[in-house]
């Protein structure tokens, strides 16, 4: 059986530091999967390897059964990979709407067009704006990203990823740094994600993980410690040990 | 006044954002000012038309750099390479009997564009200091080539003997430079229309994306390298047109058209006017050339000192150039 | 056979001497680039002033060669710290465009200043008698001056290597090159570190400018004329490394000398073509850490 996303013995070292070691991981259509682990466990690195931002030292990455290990990031996006970043990666000087319009144009293969005005494509702008309204960002559409609240900037991260209509969505701590009053918005958005896409979420907040995830993978020092349903994982004594000794951020 | 596109809106209005965006690229009155000035100068200063043509050529050259540096964010020390390629192409065509000016412009643009595409493909794989070095290496290499191939290019003495047919078969290039002035103005106008369309097109916006956040561009699946090479090649072709105009209107190509000095000069023009604003070139190039004219008349040797000092001051105190300072004042006044 | 060997030896000898000058001048640029991420195109200006000061102390004031060099190095290093604190430091977090334009501005100003002080023509270094003649190595004679440069270059390269690898100052530099924020958070005073290494780099450049005045002629456009070569050494060598620029300088110095000797007409092109090929193959430099 082929999974939507699969890694085989994926490994990465920076010099002598091993940050990912022999990770075998699968994600199926419709999955709600959480990746947890202490700071520096290599969670972000794993996402970077999957999306092609980093090249693995060893191992393979497959999307729908096809090996994409040596393809560009763009090629993987085309195959349905979308991601958010732990630390905002937005066009801060552009408006919220433009951030999303740029993404929609790219997704439709129209971003290389030269001989018409970008915003005269009402269909593209409208699609972007509808997405923003769906994420309750409509009011901020015409404001510069850097001028809106941090929590709302996190939503723009998600909006951009969704604008790519991904089959696999990789969320790197979507609520990181958001005051808890505002984090409800992000939770709502996550609850409304299209049911047929596979979602992998990195998150430190265990409440959120337990509410959202059907399966959990625990990563420690670059290697998979265990994987299972939330109940299984929480019952695992090794997980308790890792987390009891740790003081991790929320 | 966020030149040239005001895309932000502070107060909500009844108009939907989609409609607001759709009319954002309409022409504004101040965008026509350069052309009013150009027409006025033609009537008021008939004895300065040769200088006027030179200024417009430099505006075109700086505009081509704005596409590469201001929009795509590629810092280059070698933009003069393409100006030089265009100048030599047009010059050699004319010397060897192809005296029709407009078709020669197209050929020059094509040759410079191809050189831009090839060198861009290589140099744009690198970043930072290495990229700066490679762009500089391209100019140095072409300069060396033109110097060594003296039998073809005239070497250090420059390329002479350029004769042109009348423009459109009707208008002879006259001694007062009237035809040359109008010719340059029309070409600049056409190029401006093109660049204005380009920077507001999806392609142009994605160049802005490349400049603003490379990581994000990769993550939304943009073919970043291809976009940058395309922009670089287009900028090179437009610089080639500027070079060709220079060769045609002065009927001479000096070896120093391909030099660090000219690459540096065009950078300075752009930074003086304002980078990435489309109209920086229209302010910066005339300012630079007028300043050069005045300062080097005061003491030609030390012109470099003043321009260097000006550059340091702009970087330290007036980042956005004239347009940037205008922006700040505008925002203060609005409050 | 009897023709070829001397030619090779001669190319190597002159090439290595040339390489040493390129290295001593450029290594500071590699450090500022690696450490502060600053694209300092004006680095050659420090070398040029080193050259001017050395030559003029000797020619106009009769100062002997070595003291003249020392004065040049100290003056340039001190002046560079002032510049660094007052101007460069303000641009560490600015964009590349700003850094490039600022340093081009400095280059232009230096052209005018040197023209004003010393005129437009190249300056000639009068070598001390001890460095004038020739020395015999393996039955062949070589100019003493170039042999001196080679020895000096090697000594500097080795001392730098030892300083970076073996001292606390060096450890701090290495830590900051790897990760500036981390270095700051473990209590390294990065401001002082930057100033010190900037001074060291400019001082070395001044030394290279003074010692190498016979090889890279001192004139107002010095900083522009040799800019490409300084940048090649740093780019091919890899930023922020000591060994990389040394190897890169050797490669460049020897192949440039060889090409110009063997194919005087088209020699320069080989260098550029090789350069493009090398960086197409390894964009981060040939000798840098990946
Ligand atoms: N480019 C890099 N060069 C060297 N080391 C790196 C690099 N990127 C990450 N690391 C190291 O790899 C390890 C894993 O980092 P990573 O960001 O993947 O952890 P994480 O699990 O996402 O942690 P957090 O919960 O803090 O986000 C860390 O020790 C980090 O310092
Ligand atoms: Mg992380």
């Amino acid at each position: 059986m082929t999974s939507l996303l699969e890694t085989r013995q994926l490994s990465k070292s920076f010099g002598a530091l091993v940050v990912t070691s022999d990770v075998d991981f699968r994600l199926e259509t419709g999955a709600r999967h959480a990746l947890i682990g202490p700071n520096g466990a290599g969670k972000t690195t794993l996402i970077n390897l999957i999306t092609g931002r980093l090249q693995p030292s060893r191992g393979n990455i497959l999307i729908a059964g096809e090996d994409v290990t040596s393809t560009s990031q763009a090629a993987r996006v085309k195959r349905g990979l979308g991601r958010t970043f732990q630390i905002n990666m937005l066009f801060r000087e552009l408006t919220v709407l433009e951030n999303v319009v740029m993404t929609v144009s790219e997704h439709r293969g129209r971003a290389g067009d030269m001989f018409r005005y970008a915003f005269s494509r009402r269909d593209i702008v409208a699609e972007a704006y509808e997405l923003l309204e769906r994420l309750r960002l409509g009011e901020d559409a015409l404001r510069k990203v850097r001028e809106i609240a941090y929590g709302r900037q996190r939503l723009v991260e998600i909006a951009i990823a969704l604008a790519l209509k991904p089959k696999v969505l990789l969320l790197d701590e979507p609520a990181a740094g958001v005051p808890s009053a505002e984090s409800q918005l992000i939770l709502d958005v996550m609850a409304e994600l299209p049911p047929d896409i596979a979602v992998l979420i990195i998150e430190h907040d265990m409440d959120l993980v337990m509410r959202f995830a059907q399966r959990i993978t625990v990563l420690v020092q670059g290697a998979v410690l265990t994987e299972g349903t939330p109940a299984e994982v929480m019952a695992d004594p090794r997980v308790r040990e890792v987390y009891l000794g740790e003081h991790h951020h929320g | 006044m966020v030149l040239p596109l005001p895309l932000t809106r502070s107060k909500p209005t009844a108009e939907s954002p989609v409609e607001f965006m759709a009319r954002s690229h309409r022409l504004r009155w101040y965008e026509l000012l350069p052309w009013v000035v150009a027409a006025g100068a033609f009537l008021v200063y008939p004895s300065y038309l040769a200088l006027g043509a030179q200024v417009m050529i430099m505006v075109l050259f700086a505009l081509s750099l704005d596409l590469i540096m201001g929009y795509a964010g590629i810092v280059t020390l070698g933009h003069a390479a393409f100006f030089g390629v265009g100048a030599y192409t047009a010059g050699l065509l004319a010397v060897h009997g192809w005296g029709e000016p407009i078709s020669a412009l197209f050929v020059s643009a094509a040759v410079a564009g191809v050189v831009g595409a090839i060198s861009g493909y290589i140099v744009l794989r690198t970043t930072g200091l290495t990229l700066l070095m490679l762009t500089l290496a391209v100019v140095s290499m072409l300069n060396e080539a033109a110097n060594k191939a003296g039998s073809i290019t005239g070497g250090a003495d420059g390329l002479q003997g350029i004769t042109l047919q009348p423009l459109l078969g009707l208008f002879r290039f006259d001694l007062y430079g009237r035809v040359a002035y109008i010719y340059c103005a029309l070409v600049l106008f056409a190029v401006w229309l093109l660049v204005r369309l380009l920077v507001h097109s999806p392609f142009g916006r994605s160049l802005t994306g490349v400049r603003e956040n490379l990581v994000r561009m990769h993550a939304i699946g943009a073919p970043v390298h291809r976009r940058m090479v395309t922009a670089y090649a287009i900028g090179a072709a437009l610089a080639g047109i500027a070079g060709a105009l220079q060769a045609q209107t002065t009927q001479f190509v000096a070896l120093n058209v391909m030099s660090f000095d000219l690459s540096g000069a065009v950078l300075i023009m752009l930074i003086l006017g304002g980078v990435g604003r489309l109209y920086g070139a229209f302010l910066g190039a005339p300012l630079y050339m007028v300043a050069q004219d005045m300062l080097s008349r005061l003491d030609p040797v030390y012109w470099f000192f003043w321009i260097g000092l000006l550059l340091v001051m702009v970087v330290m105190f007036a980042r956005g150039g004239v347009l940037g300072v205008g922006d700040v004042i505008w925002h203060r006044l609005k409050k | 056979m009897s023709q070829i060997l001397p030619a090779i030896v001669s190319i190597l000898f002159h090439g290595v001497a040339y390489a040493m000058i390129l290295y001593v001048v450029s290594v500071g640029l590699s450090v500022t680039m690696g450490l502060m991420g600053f694209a300092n195109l004006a680095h050659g200006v420090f070398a040029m002033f080193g050259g001017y000061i050395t030559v003029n102390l000797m020619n106009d004031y009769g100062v002997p060669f070595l003291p003249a060099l020392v004065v040049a190095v100290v003056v340039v290093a001190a002046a560079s710290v002032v510049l660094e604190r007052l101007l460069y430091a303000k641009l560490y977090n600015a964009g590349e465009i700003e850094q490039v334009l600022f340093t081009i501005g400095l280059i232009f100003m230096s052209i005018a200043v040197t023209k004003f002080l010393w005129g437009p023509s190249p300056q000639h270094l009068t070598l001390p008698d001890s460095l004038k003649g020739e020395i015999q190595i393996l039955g062949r004679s070589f100019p003493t001056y170039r042999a001196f440069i080679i020895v000096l270059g090697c000594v500097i390269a080795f001392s730098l290597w030892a300083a970076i690898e073996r001292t606390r100052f060096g450890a701090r530099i290495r830590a900051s090159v790897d990760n500036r924020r981390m270095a700051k958070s473990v209590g390294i005073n990065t401001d002082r570190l930057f100033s010190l290494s900037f001074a060291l780099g400019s001082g070395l450049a001044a030394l290279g400018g003074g010692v190498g005045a016979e090889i890279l002629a001192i004139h107002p456009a010095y900083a522009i004329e040799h800019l490409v070569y300084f940048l090649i050494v740093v780019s091919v060598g890899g930023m922020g490394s000591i060994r990389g620029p040394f190897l890169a300088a050797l490669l460049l110095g020897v192949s440039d000398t060889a090409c110009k000797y063997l194919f005087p007409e088209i020699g320069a092109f080989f260098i550029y073509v090789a350069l493009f090929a090398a960086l197409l193959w390894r964009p981060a430099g040939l000798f840098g850490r990946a």
Side-chain angles (χ1 to χ4, degrees):
Chain A
M1 191 202 83
T2 57
S3 304
L4 198 47
L5 174 74
E6 184 179 349
T7 69
R8 291 189 186 151
Q9 293 175 341
L10 200 62
S11 305
K12 174 75 182 173
S13 327
F14 293 110
L17 182 69
V18 180
V19 272
T20 311
S21 80
D22 284 322
V23 172
D24 291 304
F25 177 78
R26 282 163 174 269
L27 211 57
E28 314 295 342
T29 309
R32 294 289 182 272
H33 201 120
L35 181 64
I36 64 171
N39 291 141
K43 304 181 293 294
T44 300
T45 304
L46 185 60
I47 286 196
N48 285 339
L49 289 170
I50 292 172
T51 58
R53 194 177 168 205
L54 290 174
Q55 274 300 308
S57 316
R58 193 158 49 81
N60 297 79
I61 298 150
L62 293 84
I63 299 178
E66 263 186 83
D67 195 314
V68 296
T69 315
S70 52
T71 61
S72 68
Q73 295 185 64
R76 298 182 204 196
V77 171
K78 250 193 208 102
R79 283 171 194 275
L81 227 47
R83 73 168 295 178
T84 67
F85 290 86
Q86 183 172 354
I87 297 166
N88 285 344
M89 270 298 162
L90 302 166
F91 305 112
R92 290 169 54 76
E93 293 299 321
L94 305 186
T95 63
V96 172
L97 185 53
E98 251 207 292
N99 270 263
V100 182
V101 167
M102 189 112 82
T103 314
V104 174
S105 308
E106 208 64 70
H107 176 66
R108 292 203 188 177
R110 301 256 59 101
D113 289 2
M114 293 181 178
F115 299 108
R116 64 177 304 168
Y117 294 110
F119 306 124
S120 65
R121 292 281 310 232
R122 285 187 174 74
D123 54 337
I124 289 182
V125 182
E127 180 183 327
Y129 185 61
E130 275 158 29
L131 178 61
L132 288 177
E133 288 207 304
R134 195 140 61 78
L135 302 191
R136 297 142 189 102
L137 281 168
E139 286 165 33
D140 292 333
L142 294 180
R143 297 175 66 195
K144 284 188 185 181
V145 166
R146 68 172 161 81
E147 289 166 357
I148 67 174
Y150 189 79
R152 304 184 69 77
Q153 294 186 14
R154 295 302 288 162
L155 279 177
V156 179
E157 274 278 334
I158 300 177
I160 289 180
L162 288 178
L164 294 170
K165 304 211 178 84
K167 295 198 190 82
V168 179
L169 179 61
L170 309 169
L171 300 170
D172 195 348
E173 304 198 24
V178 182
S180 49
E182 288 174 45
S183 70
Q184 187 57 40
L185 261 178
I186 292 172
L187 282 175
D188 293 347
V189 165
M190 281 171 40
E192 289 164 21
L193 290 175
D196 57 331
I197 68 173
V199 183
L200 175 70
I201 180 173
I202 298 177
E203 188 49 69
H204 282 290
D205 180 349
M206 287 314 288
D207 285 345
L208 199 157
V209 169
M210 300 307 274
R211 261 189 289 168
F212 181 75
Q214 300 149 349
R215 288 189 79 77
I216 297 178
T217 295
V218 185
L219 203 64
V220 177
Q221 291 180 0
V224 175
L225 181 74
T226 181
E227 192 196 313
T229 63
E232 283 166 7
V233 167
M234 284 304 111
D236 191 322
R238 290 172 304 172
V239 176
R240 289 164 167 272
E241 193 179 318
V242 168
Y243 269 87
L244 280 181
E246 284 289 334
H247 29 161
H248 54 94
H249 62 74
Chain B
M1 181 168 70
V2 185
L3 274 176
L5 282 196
L7 289 173
T8 58
R9 191 169 67 180
S10 36
K11 291 174 210 89
T13 60
E15 187 185 35
S16 92
V18 178
E19 289 309 312
F20 176 78
M21 297 280 275
R23 60 182 180 81
S24 64
H25 54 72
R26 72 174 204 280
L27 204 63
R28 274 152 239 277
W29 63 267
Y30 51 74
E31 296 185 83
L32 295 173
L33 281 180
W35 311 108
V36 175
V37 172
F42 182 78
L43 300 173
V44 180
Y45 298 110
S47 51
Y48 284 97
L49 293 184
L51 178 66
Q54 280 300 305
V55 170
M56 286 191 285
I57 289 168
M58 283 302 136
V59 170
L60 206 172
F61 187 30
L63 188 60
S64 72
L65 179 65
D66 205 14
L67 187 66
I68 294 178
M69 193 171 83
Y71 286 88
I74 304 164
V75 188
T76 167
L77 298 178
H79 201 47
F82 310 119
F83 187 90
V85 168
Y88 275 110
T89 306
L92 287 170
L93 283 176
V95 167
H96 293 97
W98 187 328
E100 202 291 306
I102 294 177
S103 58
L105 273 193
F106 280 99
V107 177
S108 305
V111 175
V114 169
V115 175
I118 295 172
S119 64
Y121 182 83
I122 300 175
V123 307
L124 291 171
R125 286 168 169 269
T126 63
T127 55
L129 202 66
T130 309
L131 175 57
L132 289 170
M133 182 274 287
L134 287 177
T135 55
L136 187 54
V138 171
V139 195
S140 310
M141 191 164 96
L142 291 176
N143 185 292
E144 185 87 10
N147 191 16
K148 287 277 156 66
S151 57
I152 304 169
T153 61
D157 297 333
L159 182 66
Q160 281 155 352
I162 296 172
T163 43
L164 290 180
Q165 288 164 14
L167 200 59
L168 302 171
L170 295 173
F171 307 102
R172 207 162 275 290
F173 284 90
D174 57 311
L175 270 178
Y176 310 101
R178 277 196 293 257
V179 171
Y181 185 91
I182 294 172
Y183 176 46
C184 289
L186 290 178
V187 173
L188 177 60
F189 186 76
V191 169
W192 166 73
L193 281 181
L194 176 74
V195 174
R196 188 179 183 280
L197 177 57
L198 273 184
V199 302
H200 296 168
S201 74
F203 171 74
R205 300 313 297 167
S206 82
L207 293 182
T208 305
V210 168
R211 181 195 68 206
E212 289 283 312
N213 196 333
L214 209 53
V215 176
R216 171 49 80 190
M217 280 316 269
H218 281 293
I220 63 174
V224 172
H225 184 249
R226 197 201 314 157
R227 293 265 159 77
M228 288 169 86
V229 174
T230 308
Y232 198 73
I234 295 174
L238 299 180
I241 293 180
L245 280 179
Q246 162 120 326
Q248 291 178 340
T249 55
T250 62
Q251 307 194 338
F252 178 70
V253 181
L255 186 57
N256 71 7
V257 290
M258 285 192 271
S259 64
F260 174 80
D261 295 14
L262 187 59
S263 294
V266 70
L267 270 171
I268 298 169
M269 292 177 204
L270 194 54
I271 195 100
L272 284 184
V275 184
R277 293 161 179 270
L278 193 58
Y279 295 98
F282 288 83
L283 278 167
L287 263 177
Y288 180 92
M289 295 193 65
V290 170
Q292 184 177 35
D293 201 51
M294 281 169 24
L295 289 173
S296 50
R297 211 175 305 154
L298 283 180
D299 45 4
V301 182
Y302 308 122
W303 144 251
F304 268 125
F305 180 82
W306 298 113
I307 195 69
L309 186 65
L310 185 61
L311 205 47
V312 170
M313 300 304 247
V314 168
V315 173
M316 285 290 161
F317 304 112
R319 290 280 166 87
V322 175
L323 286 178
V325 172
D327 230 15
V328 171
I329 295 174
W330 174 267
H331 281 294
R332 288 262 166 81
L333 287 183
K334 241 176 24 173
K335 268 176 198 158
Chain C
M1 210 44 216
S2 61
Q3 294 295 315
I4 296 174
L5 200 62
I8 291 179
V9 171
S10 166
I11 286 172
L12 275 178
F13 189 76
H14 286 97
V16 172
Y18 180 32
M20 290 304 125
I21 297 304
L22 286 177
Y23 171 72
V24 174
V25 171
S26 311
V27 65
L29 179 57
S30 176
V31 174
T32 36
M33 194 59 212
L35 199 58
M36 298 90 134
F38 198 104
N40 183 14
L41 300 185
H43 187 72
V45 170
F46 299 123
M48 174 178 71
F49 274 101
Y52 271 113
I53 294 173
T54 309
V55 171
N56 283 280
L57 282 178
M58 291 173 69
N59 293 355
D60 299 351
Y61 299 94
V63 180
F65 187 47
L66 283 182
L69 272 180
V70 172
V71 172
V73 169
V74 170
V75 169
V76 170
S80 80
V81 174
V82 176
L83 268 184
E84 194 266 346
R85 276 298 99 195
L86 288 183
L87 299 174
Y88 280 82
K90 304 247 174 352
L91 296 176
Y92 283 155
N93 295 320
E96 200 181 8
I97 297 181
E98 280 81 20
Q99 299 180 349
V100 163
L101 284 159
F102 165 70
T103 50
I104 290 180
L106 290 187
I107 294 181
F108 282 0
M109 288 167 78
S110 79
I111 292 177
V113 169
T114 47
K115 259 192 197 155
F116 174 74
L117 290 176
W118 294 294
S121 46
Q123 307 286 302
H124 286 288
L125 183 68
T126 327
L127 290 175
D129 289 338
S130 53
L131 291 178
K132 259 180 189 159
E134 307 208 313
I135 53 163
Q136 302 289 322
I137 305 172
L138 299 173
R140 246 178 259 282
S141 51
F142 294 102
T144 313
Y145 171 64
R146 304 214 172 209
F148 164 74
I149 287 176
I150 293 176
V151 172
L152 183 76
C154 290
V155 167
I156 288 175
F158 180 78
S159 326
L160 273 181
W161 173 81
I164 298 285
E165 295 295 326
R166 295 292 152 84
T167 66
R168 277 175 68 88
F169 174 67
R172 288 189 185 141
I173 288 191
R174 276 182 289 132
S176 308
V177 168
D178 284 344
N179 192 333
R180 195 193 318 178
R181 195 171 302 160
M182 186 81 100
K184 208 166 195 164
S185 71
V186 300
I188 294 177
N189 181 343
T190 46
D191 281 357
R192 209 170 64 200
L193 192 72
F194 285 0
S195 297
L196 277 175
S197 33
F198 197 83
L200 181 68
S202 338
L204 282 173
L207 181 65
V211 172
E214 280 289 89
I215 295 177
L216 301 183
I218 300 297
H219 63 116
Y222 181 97
I224 288 180
E225 195 167 303
H226 305 297
L227 179 60
V228 182
Y229 275 34
F230 301 153
L231 293 179
I232 290 177
V233 171
V234 175
S235 311
V236 173
M239 307 310 152
S241 114
I242 298 288
R243 193 188 55 129
F246 187 73
L247 297 177
L250 276 180
L251 199 61
L252 179 63
V254 173
S255 50
D256 191 58
T257 310
C259 286
K260 287 192 173 139
Y261 181 84
L262 299 172
F263 321 101
E265 279 305 303
I266 48 170
F269 296 101
F270 279 114
I271 300 291
Y272 288 122
V273 171
L275 176 70
F276 284 121
L279 288 164
L280 198 55
W281 174 48
R282 295 191 63 171
L286 294 189
F287 309 110
R289 293 164 296 177

